[in-house]
Amino acid sequence: MIVNQILDVTIEGEAASAKNQRRIVLIGGKPRLIKSAKALAYAESFALQFPPCEISESDVVVWLDCWYASRRPDLSAADLIHDLLQSRIIKNDRQIKGSTSLWNLDKEKPRVRIRVAEITLPPGTTVGSQGLSSFEPQRIWAPMMSG
């Protein structure tokens, strides 16, 4: 397997959950669930900070280092970040074949470091019936762990 890192970017601000605090609103007279105000604000900030990138159509793995301003948030922000990567560096979040999220605390400077790597198999190599689980984890994640 070949792992080729294509993105290493840090987005300032505390990542928000896409799911934990949804709001019910009326749209056209019908109740709808939408993201929390914090998640919508984070999405806007993310869009302003994300660098222009070539869109990859390859399968990818994502490594997130999330620094929070307090101990309260959990790592559920990964879903929102995966959604936000769509149309910015990948065509569809279904291309994400592996994801690792690490929780950190930095009261002064909350942020998320995002690393994305394309994964390809050498010609003639097949993936076992378990997908990426048929590979040793260090073959997938070691290239992302430097730095």
Side-chain angles (χ1 to χ4, degrees):
M1 177 179 6
I2 300 166
V3 179
N4 178 38
Q5 187 166 314
I6 58 172
L7 177 74
D8 186 343
V9 66
T10 299
I11 304 295
E12 302 295 328
E14 187 169 87
S17 170
K19 297 182 178 182
N20 286 352
Q21 300 171 342
R22 289 197 176 259
R23 297 179 293 162
I24 299 173
V25 297
L26 291 177
I27 299 175
K30 296 185 180 193
R32 302 279 187 231
L33 286 174
I34 65 168
K35 294 179 176 94
S36 68
K38 183 177 178 181
L40 292 171
Y42 183 77
E44 186 175 312
S45 175
F46 185 99
L48 293 171
Q49 296 179 61
F50 201 85
C53 295
E54 186 174 322
I55 304 290
S56 173
E57 294 188 28
S58 299
D59 289 336
V60 299
V61 291
V62 176
W63 183 291
L64 303 174
D65 290 299
C66 302
W67 283 268
Y68 293 96
S70 73
R71 295 189 167 277
R72 187 167 183 205
D74 59 25
L75 280 172
S76 59
D79 287 335
L80 177 61
I81 293 169
H82 290 172
D83 290 344
L84 295 172
L85 291 173
Q86 190 167 281
S87 300
R88 288 188 173 86
I89 189 148
I90 55 176
K91 278 183 98 169
N92 191 296
D93 61 1
R94 287 188 303 258
Q95 292 169 247
I96 300 172
K97 302 303 184 206
S99 182
T100 294
S101 301
L102 300 176
W103 188 98
N104 301 280
L105 180 66
D106 187 339
K107 294 178 182 183
E108 305 302 318
K109 190 178 173 189
R111 64 198 179 279
V112 179
R113 181 179 180 195
I114 304 165
R115 288 175 274 181
V116 178
E118 293 177 326
I119 50 174
T120 54
L121 298 174
T125 305
T126 59
V127 175
S129 62
Q130 296 180 16
L132 289 184
S133 295
S134 60
F135 290 98
E136 292 294 322
Q138 64 267 22
R139 289 185 65 191
I140 299 168
W141 300 112
M144 305 282 276
M145 294 173 69
S146 62

